[in-house]
Amino acid sequence: QVQLMESGGGSVQAGGSLRLSCAASGYSSNSNCVAWFRQAPGKEREGVAKIRTGTGATYYADSVEGRFTISQDHTKRTVYLQMVSLTPQDTAMYYCAARTTPACAAQIRGVDFDYWGQGTQVTVSS
C-alpha cells in the first residue's frame, strides 16, 4: 500500500507564503496522480490542485490558480504545494491524496483518491 505524510503547515499573515510537502512511501510503482485538498471547520472538503505524475500536467481550483503551484520530485517521491499571496480564506487543514489506479481527470474529487495523509494545518491571519 501507499503511505502519505504531509508537512510544512503553519501560521502566516495575509500576503505570506508557505510550501507544503507530501512524501510517499510503500509501493515502488508511482501513483497515477496526486492532489491537495483542504477543509475548514464546518465547511465541505475542497480540491485545491492535482498533478499527473507521469506527465507533470497540473490542474487547479479557480480559487487558487495563479497563487498556488503543485510540483513533484520523483527521486524523493514527494509532491509539493507552493502557496503565495495567502488570504484568510485559505485557512484550513490541508491533505494530500494519491490515486494508484488508471485515470486522472481534470476535476479534483476526493472520491477519486485511495490514499490520504494525516493533514497539516494552515492558518492565515488578517
Side-chain angles (χ1 to χ4, degrees):
Q1 303 299 313
V2 177
Q3 184 178 20
L4 306 175
M5 297 189 66
E6 304 102 328
S7 62
S11 299
V12 298
Q13 291 189 319
S17 302
L18 285 172
R19 188 179 73 160
L20 307 183
S21 299
C22 176
S25 61
Y27 293 152
S28 61
S29 178
N30 291 331
S31 299
N32 181 256
C33 57
V34 178
W36 285 95
F37 295 83
R38 65 186 182 186
Q39 187 169 28
K43 301 183 68 175
E44 63 183 1
R45 182 176 57 195
E46 175 189 19
V48 174
K50 180 171 66 176
I51 185 167
R52 292 177 179 262
T53 58
T55 66
T58 58
Y59 307 87
Y60 297 95
D62 291 342
S63 59
V64 307
E65 190 161 13
R67 300 187 298 116
F68 290 12
T69 303
I70 188 170
S71 61
Q72 63 182 337
D73 184 326
H74 288 288
T75 300
K76 297 182 180 296
R77 297 193 67 191
T78 299
V79 171
Y80 304 96
L81 185 68
Q82 178 68 53
M83 307 182 294
V84 301
S85 301
L86 287 164
T87 75
Q89 293 184 352
D90 297 315
T91 295
M93 184 73 73
Y94 283 70
Y95 301 88
C96 66
R99 179 182 175 91
T100 58
T101 53
C104 190
Q107 65 268 30
I108 310 170
R109 303 194 311 163
V111 295
D112 293 333
F113 292 84
D114 305 305
Y115 302 98
W116 294 78
Q118 82 287 350
T120 185
Q121 178 68 38
V122 171
T123 302
V124 185
S125 61
S126 59

